[in-house]
């Protein structure tokens, strides 16, 4: 029996990637793709990369006879949707918005869906709050240090994301003529993903109180996030490398490289790659992911695999574009 999946908000970037992944997942059958603005339209008319792969049409009707529901809607809209459409308790829910990531909003019903941090809880969860894209990249770079209580100094982060991170809606800063050959900073020092990062660090290290400085940047490319992180540590280069290799030894998608890394190694995959170096007293960690896959839809499918007892890489063995 295949897992029956429903998708709400299937017209955006994360919905499109969810469709691409689930159409090629051997253990999943898509039951419906809900989009009120596209009801009756062919999925391939909206997501033209799926032309020839499916004759599925968008639906305007929510069904309850499914096993898992993916919410690929905007921030604030997931909670509104669930308030207006109570879902049967037997249906597992994976939300890709930020509505349930923080404990104050999530209560006890939602589990934070970062497998490298919460794998065992995800396996038994009914409701998953998928992490943010920046939050995923940054936490992958910090989790090994937090787990050993080694985040004692100020943490400095500079991270650049592709234009798809802003969603499919048109805006001045997503327009090609503005974005191309351009670079800009936004939400310096107060990006919303800092909140979920802080909560995870405190779970691993209850005494965590180090200040975190985060400068996000808009890059002139389409997909991917590169986070450059540095902090003080007494660890030697060899000790730091071993710490990261040990922490991720059993991770399905996160790997520590001994060579410098670049975005083309992860674009179109669910991988997270890390590169760890020591410069004097500073530990420098580079963390890279595809913002739409490991930072969104791919991680959601990874969580689904864990929730249903599937092999974690099922449907996610993807090759990076690379060139």
């Amino acid at each position: 029996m295949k897992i029956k999946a429903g998708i709400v908000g299937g017209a955006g970037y994360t919905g499109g990637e969810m469709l691409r992944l689930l159409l090629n997942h051997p253990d999943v059958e898509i039951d419906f793709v809900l989009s009120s603005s596209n009801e009756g339209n062919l999925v391939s008319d909206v997501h033209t990369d799926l032309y020839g792969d499916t004759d599925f049409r968008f639906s305007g009707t929510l069904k309850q006879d499914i096993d898992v529901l993916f919410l690929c809607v905007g921030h604030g809209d997931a909670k509104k949707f669930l308030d207006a459409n109570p879902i049967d308790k037997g249906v597992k829910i994976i939300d890709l918005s930020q509505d349930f990531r923080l404990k104050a909003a999530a209560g006890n019903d939602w589990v934070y869906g970062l497998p490298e941090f919460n794998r065992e809880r995800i396996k038994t969860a009914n409701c998953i709050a998928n992490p943010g894209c920046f939050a995923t990249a940054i936490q992958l770079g910090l989790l090994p240090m937090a787990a050993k209580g080694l985040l004692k100094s100020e943490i400095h982060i500079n991270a650049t994301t592709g234009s798809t991170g802003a969603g499919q809606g048109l805006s001045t800063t997503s327009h090609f003529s503005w974005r191309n050959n351009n670079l800009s900073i936004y939400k310096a020092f107060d990006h919303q993903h800092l909140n979920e990062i802080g909560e995870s660090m405190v779970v691993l290290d209850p005494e965590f109180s180090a200040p975190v400085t985060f400068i996000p940047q808009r890059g002139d490319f389409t997909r991917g996030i590169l986070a450059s992180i540095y902090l003080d540590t007494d660890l030697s280069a060899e000790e730091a490398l071993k710490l990261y290799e040990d922490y991720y030894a059993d991770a399905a998608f996160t790997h520590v490289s001994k060579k410098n890394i670049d975005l083309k190694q992860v674009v179109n995959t669910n991988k997270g790659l890390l590169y760890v170096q020591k410069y004097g007293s500073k530990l420098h960690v580079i963390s890279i992911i595809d913002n739409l896959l490991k930072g969104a839809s791919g991680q959601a499918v990874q969580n689904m695999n864990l929730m249903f007892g599937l092999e974690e890489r099922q449907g996610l063995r993807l090759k990076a574009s690379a060139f």
Side-chain angles (χ1 to χ4, degrees):
M1 294 291 291
K2 290 192 173 185
I3 297 166
K4 289 179 67 176
I7 301 172
V8 176
Y13 286 138
T14 57
E17 288 298 82
M18 188 64 66
L19 279 159
R20 178 171 71 94
L21 294 173
L22 296 185
L23 282 169
N24 291 287
H25 196 297
D27 298 302
V28 175
E29 174 185 299
I30 300 174
D31 193 64
F32 65 86
V33 186
L34 193 67
S35 174
S36 56
S37 61
N38 285 285
E39 182 179 358
N41 294 336
L42 284 167
V43 162
S44 58
D45 282 347
V46 174
H47 300 294
T48 55
D49 58 309
L50 296 177
Y51 188 82
D53 293 333
T54 180
D55 57 1
F56 223 82
R57 292 183 181 271
F58 289 102
S59 170
T61 304
L62 174 68
K63 302 178 185 177
Q64 297 277 4
D65 57 336
I66 55 174
D67 301 303
V68 61
L69 182 68
F70 292 95
L71 299 178
C72 300
V73 295
H75 302 313
D77 292 335
K79 187 177 188 307
K80 291 177 184 176
F81 180 86
L82 293 177
D83 287 344
N85 301 277
I87 304 301
D88 291 348
K89 292 186 179 298
V91 178
K92 297 183 185 295
I93 303 172
I94 301 176
D95 175 33
L96 279 72
S97 81
Q98 65 183 15
D99 292 11
F100 301 101
R101 292 173 188 163
L102 301 181
K103 292 177 183 176
N108 296 321
D109 295 330
W110 293 81
V111 171
Y112 188 65
L114 184 60
E116 292 80 0
F117 166 65
N118 248 351
R119 177 173 281 100
E120 294 308 312
R121 290 190 65 204
I122 291 168
K123 289 179 180 179
T124 59
N126 287 317
C127 299
I128 292 291
N130 224 53
C133 51
F134 270 133
T136 295
I138 292 167
Q139 286 177 99
L140 293 180
L142 294 176
L143 289 175
M145 295 288 285
K148 295 294 184 181
L150 297 174
L151 296 177
K152 301 301 184 185
S153 73
E154 183 171 4
I155 301 166
H156 301 268
I157 305 162
N158 183 289
T160 307
T161 186
S163 58
T164 53
Q168 202 170 34
L170 297 177
S171 68
T172 302
T173 57
S174 64
H175 197 287
F176 176 81
S177 60
W178 185 91
R179 195 99 181 198
N180 188 48
N181 295 323
N182 204 0
L183 187 67
S184 67
I185 291 171
Y186 71 110
K187 295 184 180 178
F189 298 100
D190 65 355
H191 194 280
Q192 66 272 15
H193 288 185
L194 282 170
N195 297 319
E196 58 188 280
I197 293 168
E199 287 195 352
S200 298
M201 298 303 106
V202 169
V203 170
L204 289 174
D205 178 10
E207 296 183 3
F208 172 78
S209 61
V212 181
T213 301
F214 175 30
I215 310 297
Q217 295 183 163
R218 302 180 183 97
D220 66 342
F221 51 91
T222 304
R223 298 170 73 124
I225 288 176
L226 187 149
S228 174
I229 305 164
Y230 71 90
L231 64 153
D232 292 322
T233 183
D234 292 330
L235 293 176
S236 68
E238 293 74 20
E239 289 170 334
L241 179 60
K242 187 176 188 306
L243 174 67
Y244 277 75
E245 288 179 335
D246 288 349
Y247 188 91
Y248 291 116
D250 297 323
F253 292 103
T254 302
H255 311 284
V256 182
S257 172
K258 292 183 179 178
K259 297 180 180 179
N260 200 0
I261 54 180
D262 61 82
L263 276 182
K264 284 190 175 182
Q265 291 176 264
V266 297
V267 168
N268 198 49
T269 80
N270 198 53
K271 289 180 185 176
L273 293 186
L274 301 167
Y275 180 59
V276 183
Q277 289 286 291
K278 187 79 184 294
Y279 299 94
S281 65
K282 305 293 185 185
L283 180 69
H284 184 216
V285 181
I286 301 173
S287 175
I288 56 174
I289 64 168
D290 182 316
N291 59 295
L292 292 180
L293 288 174
K294 184 58 175 166
S297 303
Q299 187 147 256
V301 173
Q302 182 182 358
N303 283 323
M304 179 200 72
N305 288 341
L306 289 169
M307 295 167 83
F308 286 91
L310 301 177
E311 203 281 318
E312 201 167 342
R313 298 178 183 85
Q314 194 77 307
L316 292 169
R317 295 178 175 88
L318 307 169
K319 181 192 177 299
S321 54
F323 48 82

